[in-house]
Amino acid sequence: MPWFRNLIHLSSSTTFRTQSSLKPITTATSLSYAFTHQLTQFSTAATEEKAAEADVSDKGSGAGTIAARYAGLAPTKGDEKPRVVVLGSGWAGCRLIKDIDTGIYDVVCVSPRNHMVFTPLLASTCVGTLEFRSVAEPIGRIQPAISREPGSYYFLANSTGVDFQNHLVNCETVTDGAGTLEPWNFTIAYDKLVIAAGAEASTFGIRGVKEHAIFLREVHHAQEIRRKLLLNLMISDVPGVSDEEKRRLLHCVVVGGGPTGVEFSGELSDFITRDVRQRYAHVKDYIRVTLIEANEILSSFDDRLRIYATKQLIKSGVRLVRGIVKDVQPEKIVLSDGTDVPYGLLVWSTGVGPSPFVKSLDVPKSPGGRIGVDEWLRVPAVQDVFAIGDCCGFLESTGKPVLPALAQVAERQGKYLAQELNRIGKAGGGRANAAMEIDLGSPFVYRHLGSMATIGRYKALVDLRQSKEARGLSVAGFGSWFVWRSAYLTRVISWRNRFYVAINWLTTLVFGRDISRI
């Protein structure tokens, strides 16, 4: 039985952990045995100074509370498995974590979220087509060794820097802001480091974007969009709200005509047509959607598909505006031609750029500011460091173009690098500075499998060309929508989430979308 096996495993792993070389950095007579045992997973290898940084506070009645700052995980020893540290839990990092051989390596994942987001279906959660948990896969399910093996961990933290010379990663725990625990700083020694820290949404330096717009990249972004959309619907139904204010509250503006912006606009127009007009009849004539793009929507797709998508979006009630946003204010955006666009909900989806962490790393950069890598996804300036996903790009010296920030690129890189690390580990190169004489094998080669996007009303686009200039199959319509759903249903990581997604789609088809504001 699963609970009995877990009980036996927990008992054996606890016994093993007490034999570990990791030691606590601080002790106190008021600490309970359980808390002391938890601290034994951390090491005093860094310095005695960090132990002295422990903050002791006496709040409230009873025994004082100790907020310790851990020194971290010490370098691995000869009788331990080499350690691979993965920074990030996106498509690239999670695919590597899934495929890494935990019989060869201990795996440590450092990320501010403990799950992977299936981003192609994220837009559907904003309007209730899918539940949020349907697109989130816990890291512990992707790689069970992180939850079970004594030398493998997941840490809810951000990387603040890397000491490449000493093979150390500096980290700071993530908390819920003011009034919660103080962040704890710690270090992790690595044998192999994989930077898969992703990228952040590009604002192009436009004032007010971060303060007033919502990005659609994480589950909490989708939750925020949903709550604000439903809040505006309910407020606009209150007596005394002027017609002008209703039009502003119920004006949903999407900036960015890429796949994410187009898919969200399509989902939103479907939500308005099929659900809002039935359940918010008093304000149904006020709600509208505007999609703003500086150039052409879906610029990477075939021209015929772009024209088809434009016609379908306009037919479903989406207003397409070509313009450049100059300023974002609390209740309106200003375009470069001086036009004011009032909004109640502003979703920003204009591509990504390097994060502050990536910018801070003292390594060669590729065009665009990403971490520069060679043909084997190594960071050539330092030993035992690799980079995958949206945070990296080929160096100009390789003669290869920087790959687009797509999920399939990141996933393919994660799969390739896991295979390379497994091969290196089997050849005895898993330790720090031990792989310099090992042949790296075939370099990474990316082949584009095509692009898909839904545009609402049971219609989608499928472009199977390898590049914009190449020839290939490109189709649109209901058949493409069926292909789109079938393909993504099979790509959802676990059978549990596939079941969730299928049931959510069926429930929405039969009963409509849920409009509860929870």
Side-chain angles (χ1 to χ4, degrees):
M1 297 178 68
W3 66 268
F4 184 73
R5 290 198 300 269
N6 290 339
L7 178 62
I8 296 299
H9 185 85
L10 179 61
S11 176
S12 60
S13 63
T14 303
T15 303
F16 182 83
R17 289 182 184 181
T18 59
Q19 300 173 359
S20 173
S21 61
L22 304 179
K23 301 177 182 179
I25 66 159
T26 183
T27 58
T29 57
S30 60
L31 289 176
S32 67
Y33 170 78
F35 187 53
T36 304
H37 180 68
Q38 183 179 2
L39 291 181
T40 61
Q41 306 304 312
F42 295 88
S43 170
T44 57
T47 56
E48 291 297 327
E49 294 179 1
K50 288 197 175 183
E53 289 177 1
D55 298 325
V56 181
S57 60
D58 187 7
K59 297 181 179 179
S61 60
T65 304
I66 294 186
R69 295 187 180 274
Y70 300 132
L73 298 181
T76 55
K77 297 182 179 180
D79 59 343
E80 298 174 333
K81 290 184 288 186
R83 181 184 298 140
V84 174
V85 177
V86 182
L87 307 182
S89 58
W91 281 87
C94 284
R95 183 54 193 260
L96 181 137
I97 290 171
K98 179 182 179 181
D99 291 351
I100 199 76
D101 189 343
T102 54
I104 301 175
Y105 296 101
D106 284 330
V107 181
V108 176
C109 178
V110 179
S111 174
R113 68 181 188 197
N114 71 339
H115 58 273
M116 173 191 165
V117 180
F118 193 81
T119 48
L121 297 178
L122 188 58
S124 299
T125 65
C126 299
V127 294
T129 305
L130 295 176
E131 294 295 328
F132 298 110
R133 65 177 178 175
S134 301
V135 300
E137 188 68 35
I139 294 175
R141 288 183 179 269
I142 296 173
Q143 179 48 265
I146 285 181
S147 302
R148 299 175 182 173
E149 296 296 325
S152 296
Y153 301 93
Y154 163 74
F155 294 131
L156 186 71
N158 282 311
S159 302
T160 57
V162 181
D163 184 349
F164 296 110
Q165 184 175 0
N166 296 313
H167 281 56
L168 290 173
V169 180
N170 301 317
C171 304
E172 183 179 80
T173 57
V174 174
T175 61
D176 287 332
T180 62
L181 293 173
E182 289 292 327
W184 295 342
N185 299 311
F186 60 98
T187 61
I188 304 172
Y190 64 85
D191 292 292
K192 297 290 185 284
L193 175 64
V194 179
I195 303 175
E200 66 173 17
S202 296
T203 63
F204 306 103
I206 300 173
R207 185 181 61 181
V209 174
K210 291 184 178 180
E211 292 80 6
H212 308 301
I214 304 175
F215 306 104
L216 187 52
R217 294 180 56 79
E218 304 286 351
V219 172
H220 67 85
H221 292 150
Q223 291 172 330
E224 186 179 358
I225 290 171
R226 178 175 173 79
R227 287 179 61 81
K228 189 163 187 177
L229 175 62
L230 294 176
L231 176 65
N232 289 351
L233 277 168
M234 290 182 281
I235 289 180
S236 62
D237 214 7
V238 173
V241 178
S242 65
D243 288 350
E244 182 180 358
E245 182 65 3
K246 287 181 181 180
R247 291 189 179 91
R248 184 192 69 80
L249 286 171
L250 298 179
H251 188 197
C252 305
V253 177
V254 183
V255 179
T260 301
V262 169
E263 288 187 336
F264 177 71
S265 299
E267 287 280 357
L268 196 54
S269 66
D270 260 4
F271 177 60
I272 293 170
T273 303
R274 301 178 184 277
D275 299 276
V276 172
R277 293 188 182 278
Q278 294 179 8
R279 306 179 194 184
Y280 288 92
H282 300 100
V283 295
K284 64 181 182 180
D285 296 329
Y286 294 93
I287 189 166
R288 54 203 172 105
V289 182
T290 297
L291 176 61
I292 300 176
E293 169 57 42
N295 300 303
E296 298 285 344
I297 66 169
L298 301 173
S299 58
S300 62
F301 281 70
D302 181 73
D303 290 342
R304 294 186 301 105
L305 297 184
R306 289 195 296 102
I307 294 173
Y308 178 84
T310 300
K311 291 181 178 178
Q312 289 299 319
L313 287 173
I314 293 175
K315 185 177 179 180
S316 63
V318 178
R319 178 185 172 216
L320 301 180
V321 174
R322 180 175 293 185
I324 300 174
V325 178
K326 180 181 178 182
D327 187 27
V328 177
Q329 299 178 14
E331 296 184 355
K332 69 177 182 179
I333 61 175
V334 181
L335 303 183
S336 57
D337 61 0
T339 304
D340 292 344
V341 182
Y343 68 85
L345 172 66
L346 177 61
V347 177
W348 195 270
S349 177
T350 58
V352 296
S355 65
F357 169 70
V358 169
K359 293 177 182 177
S360 70
L361 296 178
D362 187 18
V363 295
K365 299 296 198 300
S366 70
R370 301 186 189 182
I371 298 171
V373 295
D374 63 11
E375 295 93 331
W376 294 273
L377 305 180
R378 299 177 301 177
V379 180
V382 289
Q383 287 292 330
D384 300 316
V385 179
F386 305 82
I388 54 177
D390 296 350
C391 69
C392 76
F394 289 121
L395 290 166
E396 288 184 295
S397 58
T398 64
K400 293 187 174 184
V402 176
L403 296 174
L406 298 175
Q408 61 176 295
V409 175
E411 184 185 26
R412 210 80 52 78
Q413 288 179 334
K415 180 180 180 180
Y416 166 85
L417 186 56
Q419 294 172 347
E420 284 295 300
L421 290 176
N422 291 341
R423 192 177 57 79
I424 291 172
K426 291 176 182 178
R431 298 284 174 191
N433 301 314
M436 290 182 282
E437 303 299 327
I438 296 179
D439 180 27
L440 289 176
S442 302
F444 174 75
V445 177
Y446 171 69
R447 291 182 177 85
H448 187 61
L449 298 180
S451 303
M452 296 186 292
T454 179
I455 52 176
R457 292 197 170 193
Y458 302 109
K459 294 179 176 62
L461 315 175
V462 176
D463 189 350
L464 299 181
R465 299 173 306 153
Q466 290 194 358
S467 67
K468 190 174 181 180
E469 295 76 21
R471 293 185 177 182
L473 180 65
S474 55
V475 291
F478 177 80
S480 299
W481 175 83
F482 185 79
V483 170
W484 174 84
R485 281 208 166 180
S486 301
Y488 282 145
L489 184 61
T490 60
R491 296 300 295 163
V492 174
I493 294 177
S494 68
W495 281 103
R496 183 193 72 156
N497 277 23
R498 290 172 194 168
F499 179 77
Y500 282 159
V501 169
I503 291 299
N504 288 166
W505 279 341
L506 179 61
T507 303
T508 299
L509 179 65
V510 175
F511 301 106
R513 295 173 178 85
D514 179 26
I515 60 170
S516 303
R517 186 176 183 268
I518 301 175

